[in-house]
Amino acid sequence: MELEDREFLTFIKRVKDYSGIDLAQYKEAQMKRRLITLYTKRGFAGFTAFYDAMMKDRELYYEFLDRMTINVSEFWRNPNRWEVLEKKFITEMARTGGRVKCWSAACSTGEEPYTLAMILAENGLLEQSQIIATDIDDGAMDKAKTGVYPDRSIRDVPDRLLKKYFTQQDAHFRIVDSLKKHVIYKKQNLLNDMFDVGFDLIICRNVMIYFTEDAKHNLYHKFSRSLKPGGLLFVGSTEQIFTPGQYELEPAETFFYRKKR
Ligand SMILES: C[S@@+](CC[C@H](N)C(=O)[O-])C[C@H]1O[C@@H](n2cnc3c(N)ncnc32)[C@H](O)[C@@H]1O
């Protein structure tokens, strides 16, 4: 084994002992490449020197967390999928009535749970809904809680909804409090932590792609157990589940899976 590989294994173990984050459950080549780019840019010769420096320099540790988590998000990411969610599934929930319990898992800076909140509001469901939004990254969730976005991030928000659910401050747009108060943020590591149960809708998009096949397999089981019978799992547009039946899920629409009743 090469020195770099040995150092990477030690790095993984030390990061896990220190933070609980298990890098071994992320795709190795991708993760390694991102971290090597970061430490080289910061002038370190290898993973060991990088780890030692990180333990003395909080900023460097946060930069590492930032690099491993990748917080890119958008309102209405893949708009036609959100349209299906609204036209087919949310309308159905509105017809049935009752409380709607939703979870945006790996919510990053909040665009996803706020997109959902707007759709629920537009369909008269927000008041009876609960939206839990979780992420491993405190920094991203702080931004989500603040709910202020630069103009480039709101370009996919329909004009009518932009006027209704945001206030403009110069080049920034702030989510109105009446919407924000419906989203509850909680820090959570999808790979280690316990999941809440009884969800009508779980949205988990654009994070599975970073995980190993084993980690994904465990997660699908956990998501399935967290859904109510008939509840929906909405995944990212490169993340279809090939054999959903093994998780008691059935395809409901492209990138949507329903927990068997
Ligand atoms: C690319 S963003 C996806 C944001 C949003 N779901 C979307 O599709 O636009 C990936 C998010 O996954 C989070 N993440 C990475 N590993 C995680 C883990 N083990 N547990 C929870 N969140 C994690 C990151 O912090 C980041 O905010």
Side-chain angles (χ1 to χ4, degrees), residues 180-191:
K180 210 192 308 179
K181 72 173 189 207
H182 287 279
V183 183
I184 302 159
Y185 288 98
K186 290 184 194 162
K187 180 171 179 167
Q188 189 202 44
N189 181 347
L190 288 172
L191 299 172

Side-chain angles (χ1 to χ4, degrees), residues 40-130:
T40 310
K41 199 169 106 196
R42 292 282 162 261
F44 299 101
F47 281 105
T48 305
F50 179 49
Y51 184 84
D52 293 342
M54 229 164 62
M55 288 301 102
K56 293 188 204 116
D57 178 350
R58 218 54 206 157
E59 284 306 309
L60 191 63
Y61 177 63
Y62 289 137
E63 207 179 346
F64 151 72
L65 286 179
D66 245 22
R67 192 58 61 97
M68 64 142 287
T69 52
I70 306 193
N71 298 130
V72 184
S73 191
E74 288 163 37
F75 288 97
W76 271 271
R77 189 169 194 172
N78 313 111
N80 62 348
R81 294 299 91 200
W82 287 95
E83 202 176 305
V84 169
L85 176 72
E86 176 165 13
K87 297 275 169 331
K88 181 159 180 184
F89 300 115
I90 300 286
T91 331
E92 182 183 296
M93 288 173 192
R95 257 201 317 272
T96 328
R99 289 185 56 74
V100 184
K101 186 171 171 180
C102 310
W103 175 19
S104 164
C107 65
S108 188
T109 38
E111 291 86 339
E112 183 176 280
Y114 292 135
T115 300
L116 174 65
M118 284 184 252
I119 291 175
L120 289 169
E122 288 302 296
N123 287 274
L125 275 178
L126 188 62
E127 293 304 320
Q128 69 213 61
S129 300
Q130 186 185 23

Side-chain angles (χ1 to χ4, degrees):
M1 199 190 282
E2 286 187 18
L3 177 65
E4 185 185 280
D5 296 330
R6 280 201 305 274
E7 283 202 12
F8 186 58
L9 288 181
T10 312
F11 182 83
I12 287 181
K13 185 177 179 317
R14 292 167 87 188
V15 167
K16 188 173 180 194
D17 291 345
Y18 179 73
S19 67
I21 297 170
D22 186 4
L23 296 176
Q25 296 195 64
Y26 290 74
K27 283 182 192 150
E28 183 175 319
Q30 255 182 23
M31 176 61 71
K32 217 168 167 183
R33 194 172 347 104
R34 287 209 299 277
L35 296 179
I36 290 175
T37 310
L38 172 63
Y39 77 55
T40 310
K41 199 169 106 196
R42 292 282 162 261
F44 299 101
F47 281 105
T48 305
F50 179 49
Y51 184 84
D52 293 342
M54 229 164 62
M55 288 301 102
K56 293 188 204 116
D57 178 350
R58 218 54 206 157
E59 284 306 309
L60 191 63
Y61 177 63
Y62 289 137
E63 207 179 346
F64 151 72
L65 286 179
D66 245 22
R67 192 58 61 97
M68 64 142 287
T69 52
I70 306 193
N71 298 130
V72 184
S73 191
E74 288 163 37
F75 288 97
W76 271 271
R77 189 169 194 172
N78 313 111
N80 62 348
R81 294 299 91 200
W82 287 95
E83 202 176 305
V84 169
L85 176 72
E86 176 165 13
K87 297 275 169 331
K88 181 159 180 184
F89 300 115
I90 300 286
T91 331
E92 182 183 296
M93 288 173 192
R95 257 201 317 272
T96 328
R99 289 185 56 74
V100 184
K101 186 171 171 180
C102 310
W103 175 19
S104 164
C107 65
S108 188
T109 38
E111 291 86 339
E112 183 176 280
Y114 292 135
T115 300
L116 174 65
M118 284 184 252
I119 291 175
L120 289 169
E122 288 302 296
N123 287 274
L125 275 178
L126 188 62
E127 293 304 320
Q128 69 213 61
S129 300
Q130 186 185 23
I131 304 173
I132 299 166
T134 62
D135 202 280
I136 198 173
D137 184 344
D138 288 313
M141 273 197 304
D142 284 345
K143 287 189 191 148
K145 287 178 203 161
T146 309
V148 175
Y149 298 92
D151 45 11
R152 67 175 178 282
S153 1
I154 48 85
R155 59 172 185 256
D156 286 327
V157 180
D159 252 7
R160 193 176 62 78
L161 303 186
L162 189 64
K163 291 199 182 82
K164 196 164 167 187
Y165 297 112
F166 291 80
T167 52
Q168 187 169 4
Q169 298 166 326
D170 304 321
H172 287 80
F173 292 79
R174 177 184 287 275
I175 296 274
V176 293
D177 286 343
S178 57
L179 197 79
K180 210 192 308 179
K181 72 173 189 207
H182 287 279
V183 183
I184 302 159
Y185 288 98
K186 290 184 194 162
K187 180 171 179 167
Q188 189 202 44
N189 181 347
L190 288 172
L191 299 172
N192 284 6
D193 296 340
M194 299 270 290
F195 288 5
D196 194 358
V197 292
F199 288 102
D200 298 283
L201 171 66
I202 298 176
I203 307 179
C204 184
R205 309 184 71 215
N206 305 302
V207 65
M208 289 289 196
I209 35 166
Y210 302 117
F211 298 150
T212 62
E213 290 306 312
D214 277 357
K216 279 191 228 175
H217 179 68
N218 286 334
L219 262 176
Y220 292 138
H221 272 303
K222 284 171 77 180
F223 281 138
S224 173
R225 284 195 289 268
S226 285
L227 284 168
K228 276 184 189 161
L232 279 179
L233 174 64
F234 177 16
V235 302
S237 292
T238 54
E239 299 173 319
Q240 73 259 47
I241 307 175
F242 291 108
T243 44
Q246 63 177 313
Y247 310 109
E248 286 187 66
L249 297 170
E250 46 200 24
E253 269 286 341
T254 316
F255 307 118
F256 289 90
Y257 300 89
R258 200 186 278 285
K259 172 79 183 270
K260 288 188 179 148
R261 295 182 205 264

